[in-house]
Amino acid sequence: MIIDLRSDTVTKPTKEMLDAMMQAEVGDDVFGEEPTVNALEKKVAAMFGKEAALFCPSGTMTNQIAIKVHTQPGDEVLCDVTAHIYNYEGGGMASNSGVQAKLLQGDRGRISVEQVKQNINPSYDWLTNTSLVCIENTGNRAGGSYYSLQQMKELSEVCKSYKLNFHLDGARIFNAIVENDYTPADIGPLFDSVSICLSKGLGAPVGSLLVGDREFITKARRVRKVFGGGMRQAGYLAAAGIYALDHHVDRLNEDHHRAKHLSEVLSKLSYVDSILPVDTNIVIFNLKSSVSPDSFLTSLSEQGIKAAGFGQQAIRFVTHLDFTDDMLMKVEETLKNMTWK
Ligand SMILES: *Cc1c(COP(=O)(O)O)cnc(C)c1O
């Protein structure tokens, strides 16, 4: 048994999800004739209280399309220093859209209204035009932290009053939703666009959605084609997404409980220096300086457990659909039995 805690992207479709995929009705999505893709787009747009949605191959693509549609070359995007769009999308905002980021130092990935206000450039010819604010909920590099509805509302108001576009990188928005008392319909209207990943905690093999108003999605559809993301009989993938939204949202709580359990186990280990607060399904902890992260990861992997180094002394575990209670017990036992001088 291999236990893979490197990411929640490692899940494989369940038998029921594969059945749903096999039964999908398909057509050519570039011609707009993909019944299952159309059904998924309609479903997600309605969930988030938006006019339209666009099915894309990845969350990187949905974010990059949003940045492209919301900005002009030379513009500036405000985001947290930990943002996925800045750190993990290959410099895409520069190469795809010709824009630069101004990085804000948020509270575990969460930026504030004051920070946004202080960093909007006045409109002098020599200053960069601030046109987009992007937040991440939950924050990935930030360790799975989430925004409250109130925080998102306040940011939305400030973006409206300064005429800035407001994008949500909601790769793991459903992880935030199950921990809070807000719904997709509460969130959608606060943003000009929202990106949602189906292939993380929701357990679909491939796919992300971008939601927004009709005019935005019409532009986004063009950019998707230019980026090479126009797919044909993508209904097989969309069917997995529909299945995931119907069956794999509520169970995200289980992933969160297992992540919290892991953090409790880690908190009692002598070789662990510190653990970031665990709010959802991501556990980031630091090993004591005497323990080499490479040796730690090698030792874990020799015992069938894969985890990810996260820079310096940090290690990341991410819980997901394919990580069961039996696996949790095995990880607990393995961690407790490891000894490091
Ligand atoms: C995973 C992720 C994405 C998208 O990643 P893809 O691998 O391109 O689907 C975007 N934002 C965040 C915060 C993520 O964790």
Coordinates of all heavy atoms in Angstrom, one line a residue, residues 5-6 88 141 284-285 287 293-294 296-297 300 306-317:
L5 N 0.7 11.5 0.2 CA 0.2 12.7 0.8 C 0.8 14.0 0.2 O 0.8 15.1 0.8 CB 0.5 12.7 2.3 CG -0.3 11.7 3.2 CD1 0.3 11.6 4.6 CD2 -1.7 12.1 3.3
R6 N 1.4 13.8 -1.0 CA 2.1 14.9 -1.6 C 1.1 16.0 -2.0 O 1.4 17.2 -2.0 CB 2.8 14.5 -2.9 CG 4.1 13.7 -2.5 CD 4.7 13.2 -3.8 NE 3.8 12.3 -4.5 CZ 4.0 11.8 -5.7 NH1 5.1 12.1 -6.4 NH2 3.1 11.0 -6.3
Y88 N 3.4 29.6 -8.8 CA 3.4 28.2 -9.3 C 2.8 28.2 -10.7 O 2.2 27.1 -11.1 CB 2.6 27.3 -8.4 CG 3.2 27.2 -7.0 CD1 2.4 27.4 -5.9 CD2 4.5 26.8 -6.8 CE1 2.9 27.3 -4.6 CE2 5.1 26.7 -5.6 CZ 4.3 26.9 -4.4 OH 4.8 26.8 -3.2
R141 N -0.1 27.6 -0.6 CA 1.2 27.8 0.1 C 1.0 28.3 1.5 O 1.8 28.1 2.4 CB 2.1 28.7 -0.7 CG 3.5 28.6 -0.4 CD 4.6 29.3 -1.0 NE 5.7 29.2 -0.2 CZ 6.6 28.2 -0.2 NH1 6.4 27.2 -1.0 NH2 7.6 28.1 0.6
I284 N 1.2 21.8 7.1 CA 2.6 22.1 6.8 C 3.3 22.2 8.2 O 2.9 22.9 9.1 CB 2.7 23.5 6.1 CG1 2.0 23.4 4.7 CG2 4.2 23.9 5.9 CD1 1.9 24.7 4.0
F285 N 4.5 21.5 8.3 CA 5.2 21.5 9.5 C 6.7 21.6 9.3 O 7.2 21.3 8.2 CB 4.9 20.3 10.4 CG 5.2 19.0 9.7 CD1 6.4 18.3 10.0 CD2 4.4 18.4 8.8 CE1 6.7 17.1 9.5 CE2 4.7 17.2 8.2 CZ 5.9 16.5 8.5
L287 N 10.6 20.6 10.4 CA 11.4 19.7 11.2 C 12.4 20.5 12.0 O 12.8 21.6 11.6 CB 12.1 18.8 10.2 CG 11.2 17.9 9.4 CD1 12.0 17.2 8.2 CD2 10.6 16.8 10.3
P293 N 15.5 17.3 5.9 CA 14.2 17.0 5.3 C 14.3 15.9 4.2 O 13.4 15.1 4.1 CB 13.8 18.4 4.6 CG 14.6 19.4 5.3 CD 15.9 18.7 5.8
D294 N 15.5 15.9 3.5 CA 15.6 14.9 2.5 C 15.7 13.5 3.1 O 15.0 12.6 2.6 CB 16.9 15.1 1.7 CG 16.8 16.3 0.7 OD1 15.6 16.7 0.4 OD2 17.8 16.8 0.2
F296 N 14.4 12.7 6.0 CA 13.1 12.4 6.5 C 12.2 11.9 5.4 O 11.5 10.9 5.5 CB 12.5 13.7 7.1 CG 11.1 13.6 7.7 CD1 10.9 13.0 8.9 CD2 10.1 14.1 6.9 CE1 9.6 12.9 9.4 CE2 8.8 14.0 7.4 CZ 8.5 13.4 8.6
L297 N 12.2 12.6 4.2 CA 11.3 12.2 3.1 C 11.7 10.8 2.6 O 10.8 10.0 2.2 CB 11.3 13.2 2.0 CG 10.7 14.6 2.4 CD1 11.0 15.6 1.3 CD2 9.1 14.4 2.5
L300 N 10.5 8.2 5.0 CA 9.0 8.0 4.9 C 8.7 7.2 3.6 O 7.9 6.2 3.6 CB 8.3 9.3 4.7 CG 7.9 10.1 6.0 CD1 7.1 11.3 5.6 CD2 7.0 9.2 6.9
K306 N 4.5 8.9 0.8 CA 5.0 10.0 0.0 C 4.6 11.3 0.6 O 3.4 11.5 0.8 CB 4.6 9.9 -1.5 CG 5.2 8.7 -2.2 CD 4.8 8.7 -3.6 CE 5.2 7.4 -4.4 NZ 4.8 7.5 -5.8
A307 N 5.5 12.2 0.8 CA 5.2 13.6 1.2 C 6.0 14.6 0.4 O 6.9 14.2 -0.3 CB 5.4 13.7 2.7
A308 N 5.7 15.9 0.6 CA 6.4 16.8 -0.2 C 7.3 17.8 0.6 O 6.8 18.2 1.7 CB 5.4 17.7 -1.0
G309 N 8.5 18.0 0.2 CA 9.3 19.1 0.8 C 8.7 20.4 0.5 O 8.2 20.6 -0.7
F310 N 8.7 21.4 1.4 CA 8.1 22.6 1.1 C 9.0 23.8 1.4 O 8.6 24.9 1.8 CB 6.8 22.7 1.9 CG 5.6 23.3 1.1 CD1 5.2 22.7 -0.1 CD2 4.9 24.4 1.6 CE1 4.2 23.3 -0.8 CE2 3.8 24.9 0.9 CZ 3.4 24.3 -0.3
G311 N 10.3 23.6 1.1 CA 11.3 24.6 1.3 C 11.9 24.6 2.7 O 11.2 24.4 3.7
Q312 N 13.2 24.8 2.8 CA 13.9 24.8 4.1 C 13.6 23.5 4.9 O 13.7 22.4 4.4 CB 13.7 26.1 4.8 CG 14.3 27.3 4.0 CD 14.0 28.6 4.6 OE1 13.2 28.8 5.5 NE2 14.7 29.6 4.1
Q313 N 13.1 23.7 6.1 CA 12.8 22.6 7.0 C 11.3 22.1 6.9 O 10.9 21.2 7.6 CB 13.1 22.9 8.4 CG 14.5 23.1 8.8 CD 15.4 21.9 8.5 OE1 16.1 21.8 7.5 NE2 15.3 20.9 9.4
A314 N 10.6 22.7 5.9 CA 9.1 22.4 5.9 C 8.8 21.2 5.1 O 9.4 20.9 4.0 CB 8.4 23.7 5.4
I315 N 7.7 20.5 5.6 CA 7.2 19.3 4.9 C 5.7 19.6 4.8 O 5.1 20.2 5.7 CB 7.4 18.1 5.8 CG1 8.9 17.8 6.1 CG2 6.8 16.8 5.1 CD1 9.8 17.4 4.9
R316 N 5.1 19.1 3.7 CA 3.6 19.3 3.5 C 3.0 17.9 3.3 O 3.4 17.1 2.6 CB 3.3 20.2 2.3 CG 1.9 20.5 2.2 CD 1.6 21.4 1.0 NE 1.5 20.5 -0.2 CZ 1.0 20.9 -1.4 NH1 0.5 22.1 -1.5 NH2 1.0 20.1 -2.4
F317 N 1.9 17.7 4.1 CA 1.0 16.6 3.9 C -0.4 17.2 3.4 O -0.8 18.2 4.0 CB 0.6 15.9 5.2 CG 1.7 15.1 5.8 CD1 1.7 14.8 7.2 CD2 2.8 14.6 5.1 CE1 2.7 14.1 7.8 CE2 3.8 13.9 5.7 CZ 3.8 13.6 7.1

